Amino acid sequence: MSNKEWPLFEVFIRSKQGLNHKHVGSLRAADPDMAIENARDVYTRRSEGVSIWVVESKLITASDPKEADSLFEPADSKVYRHPTFYDVPDGISHM
Amino acid sequence: MTDFSGLLKRLTLLFVRKVVHLYKSFSSMKEMDIAELERRFQEKIDKEIKIEPNDWMPEQYRKTLIRQISQHAHSEIVGMLPEGNWITRAPNLRRKAVLLAKVQDEAGHGLYLYSAAETLGADREQTIDDLHSGKAKYSSIFNYPTMTWADMGTIGWLVDGAAIMNQVPLCRCSYGPYARAMVRVCKEESFHQRQGFEIVSKLANGSPEQKAMAQDSLNRWWWPALMMFGPNDDHSPNSALSMKWKIKRSTNDELRQQFVDITVKQAEMIGLTIPDKDLKWNEERQSYDFGEINWEEFNQVISGNGPCNKERVDARRNAKENGAWVREAAMAHAEKRRSRKERA
Ligand SMILES: [Fe+2]
Ligand SMILES: [Fe+2]
Ligand SMILES: [Fe+2]
């Protein structure tokens, strides 16, 4: 018996209009159309969604958690990007 | 001209910095031994920082999780069988629709969990084959037969009730994908328990025959339900490590006691009797004392000798083998459509 497994898809659901799609999990399906149908049955049985994205898991490039420190270092050292870095004199409002 | 050479200088400097940085992080990686990685891992756990799929984790943590999550997945899937047995014989359309929805949920639970196991590098096909070969275990409760309609009620009430008790603390498990799957599962389980309790209480308040049927069902499922929490704490060798790694948050005996305390009151409410002559309220502990579980029976069922073990595994194996052509056809169809699209 040939055991060619169906590819793995990652599933993203928009729970309601105005919100972005959010990763909810994964599933296997023969093709993207079937992945959408399976995602409906698996992840939206109680009206958790109004829109579904599926993407084959192997197509996702992820950052390496081991490199997280150096990857995000530029953000750590720039406190002046935050409004709290600045002193606002007393009496100044709406800023 | 001068601007340009300045830019070049800056670029060179940047490049050199990058190389130095890369070299540093590489050599520090090599120097960082397993003990240090383990220390950092435990530190994260202690700070309640979740572990995600690509993070470093001790091999034993990975193994423990793969075993636990896949056993859990198998339990959800095998658990569909005893209830599936009654779908065509549900007493009316409402009960049938509810039971169908419940069994479909269990299939979903199995899928969330198989997916969570895959994030740890478990091979889906292999995981399922391990169930079929008898290498992997699943909850012992599903090796008991469902003989009457009352069993549909008792399973929802006691078995899903015990599952909820086990699963609620798992929503805070240290491994992200497992915890997230458990949140989804727990949301769905409470309907399972309520529909079961509804069936049992309806029967318990019905004709004398119906009440007897409910009592008989409780008599058969009570002890197996208590076994669902696993061996006593002093016979549960993996527990300490699982607690340290926050895979588990409560011990088997704690959860079992919680279950007894809650369920005894529910049984009283609907006029059924818990089949345990040693069951007694303990004023001092503010908890029920209860009788000794038949661990010999538990061990027999776990090791394959329960009333329905063979039937359950055979059913799963047949489903896989007889469905192989469907999966192959779906793949062939998908490929055909893909190549047709490419040509168009
Ligand atoms: Fe479930
Ligand atoms: Fe469950
Ligand atoms: Fe359930």
Side-chain angles (χ1 to χ4, degrees):
Chain A
M1 186 180 28
S2 101
N3 263 333
K4 203 173 166 208
E5 250 183 300
W6 288 350
L8 192 65
F9 287 85
E10 299 302 320
V11 180
F12 301 81
I13 306 260
R14 185 202 296 288
S15 56
K16 66 178 208 199
Q17 294 294 113
L19 297 180
N20 40 16
H21 287 77
K22 198 171 144 199
H23 183 243
V24 293
S26 55
L27 49 77
R28 289 186 176 274
D31 61 24
D33 295 316
M34 190 198 270
I36 295 248
E37 278 165 19
N38 289 357
R40 179 204 55 197
D41 292 342
V42 174
Y43 292 108
T44 66
R45 284 199 300 283
R46 289 175 176 79
S47 8
E48 291 96 334
V50 294
S51 163
I52 301 173
W53 287 351
V54 293
V55 58
E56 246 191 89
S57 311
K58 66 173 187 211
L59 298 177
I60 291 183
T61 307
S63 64
D64 181 350
K66 283 198 292 296
E67 297 291 316
D69 285 350
S70 55
L71 186 65
F72 298 109
E73 187 274 333
D76 291 340
S77 56
K78 294 176 183 59
V79 282
Y80 46 83
R81 280 180 174 158
H82 300 277
T84 45
F85 179 74
Y86 303 91
D87 284 331
V88 178
D90 289 345
I92 301 282
S93 53
H94 301 296
M95 189 181 274
Chain B
M1 197 60 194
T2 43
D3 271 345
F4 182 71
S5 73
L7 184 69
L8 200 68
K9 224 188 232 165
R10 263 165 58 205
L11 277 176
T12 316
L13 201 71
L14 259 173
F15 177 73
V16 169
R17 266 200 209 140
K18 188 83 200 163
V19 168
V20 168
H21 177 82
L22 272 175
Y23 175 75
K24 269 189 189 160
S25 60
F26 178 69
S27 53
S28 74
M29 274 305 296
K30 274 204 311 199
E31 279 159 26
M32 204 194 294
D33 52 3
I34 296 282
E36 174 58 13
L37 286 167
E38 272 175 3
R39 195 192 59 75
R40 288 189 185 184
F41 173 82
Q42 190 61 46
E43 200 177 83
K44 267 166 95 176
I45 302 261
D46 294 342
K47 281 196 208 149
E48 300 287 335
I49 297 173
K50 297 277 182 221
I51 307 302
E52 294 295 343
N54 296 327
D55 294 345
W56 187 89
M57 59 186 85
E59 249 344 273
Q60 193 57 35
Y61 178 82
R62 184 186 302 277
K63 267 198 207 146
T64 304
L65 273 170
I66 289 181
R67 196 191 32 153
Q68 180 172 336
I69 298 174
S70 55
Q71 275 182 13
H72 194 164
H74 299 328
S75 304
E76 303 285 349
I77 297 297
V78 175
M80 295 164 77
L81 297 167
E83 289 179 298
N85 176 38
W86 277 90
I87 290 174
T88 56
R89 291 175 290 162
N92 60 45
L93 194 57
R94 177 182 183 270
R95 297 278 181 216
K96 186 179 181 135
V98 169
L99 186 58
L100 256 177
K102 195 238 181 212
V103 173
Q104 191 193 6
D105 273 355
E106 305 300 2
H109 298 175
L111 188 113
Y112 308 151
L113 288 160
Y114 283 128
S115 300
E118 279 191 278
T119 65
L120 289 158
D123 180 79
R124 172 83 66 103
E125 189 88 21
Q126 188 59 50
T127 308
I128 289 168
D129 288 343
D130 285 348
L131 169 69
H132 297 177
S133 70
K135 195 178 153 210
K137 304 269 182 260
Y138 54 89
S139 183
S140 57
I141 193 88
F142 301 118
N143 292 313
Y144 292 86
T146 42
M147 308 205 298
T148 65
W149 171 252
D151 291 354
M152 295 305 97
T154 313
I155 287 183
W157 174 34
L158 299 184
V159 177
D160 289 86
I164 292 171
M165 210 120 260
N166 263 322
Q167 287 165 354
V168 166
L170 286 173
C171 296
R172 288 161 54 233
C173 166
S174 60
Y175 186 58
Y178 192 26
R180 293 191 287 272
M182 279 304 109
V183 170
R184 299 188 70 83
V185 167
C186 284
K187 266 189 204 156
E188 301 180 350
E189 290 291 358
S190 56
F191 134 63
H192 298 180
Q193 195 187 18
R194 284 184 187 196
Q195 64 85 35
F197 187 70
E198 187 189 69
I199 294 173
V200 180
S201 49
K202 203 79 178 194
L203 290 171
N205 291 300
S207 67
E209 290 84 358
Q210 286 172 322
K211 180 162 186 180
M213 190 197 267
Q215 183 62 53
D216 160 72
S217 181
L218 177 58
N219 293 349
R220 283 181 289 111
W221 291 95
W222 175 253
W223 291 103
L226 293 193
M227 294 174 196
M228 284 177 71
F229 295 94
N232 284 134
D233 292 348
D234 44 355
H235 291 102
S236 185
N238 305 324
S239 263
L241 205 50
S242 288
M243 297 278 275
K244 181 181 156 206
W245 283 335
K246 297 192 179 165
I247 295 173
K248 269 175 98 158
R249 299 271 181 170
S250 320
T251 72
N252 298 352
D253 287 332
E254 285 165 4
L255 292 168
R256 190 167 13 240
Q257 180 71 60
Q258 225 177 312
F259 177 77
V260 170
D261 290 346
I262 286 175
T263 314
V264 169
K265 286 179 189 128
Q266 293 168 348
E268 265 166 25
M269 288 276 294
I270 53 175
L272 294 182
T273 311
I274 302 285
D276 179 357
K277 58 175 175 29
D278 296 321
L279 187 77
K280 202 169 85 230
W281 177 251
N282 183 322
E283 190 58 39
E284 197 183 320
R285 289 199 306 119
Q286 287 292 301
S287 235
Y288 282 96
D289 292 335
F290 55 95
E292 184 65 30
I293 287 169
N294 183 348
W295 293 113
E296 175 53 23
E297 177 183 324
F298 175 75
N299 291 330
Q300 282 297 325
V301 178
I302 277 285
S303 53
N305 304 317
C308 301
N309 295 59
K310 188 176 153 19
E311 193 184 325
R312 301 293 186 237
V313 174
D314 282 351
R316 290 313 311 154
R317 204 183 291 126
N318 289 341
K320 186 182 178 197
E321 282 167 14
N322 299 335
W325 71 272
V326 180
R327 294 191 299 279
E328 281 167 31
M331 270 311 259
H333 179 66
E335 252 146 55
K336 203 162 111 190
R337 286 218 306 193
R338 200 162 20 234
S339 64
R340 224 183 251 154
K341 227 186 213 165
E342 273 161 25
R343 262 183 286 139

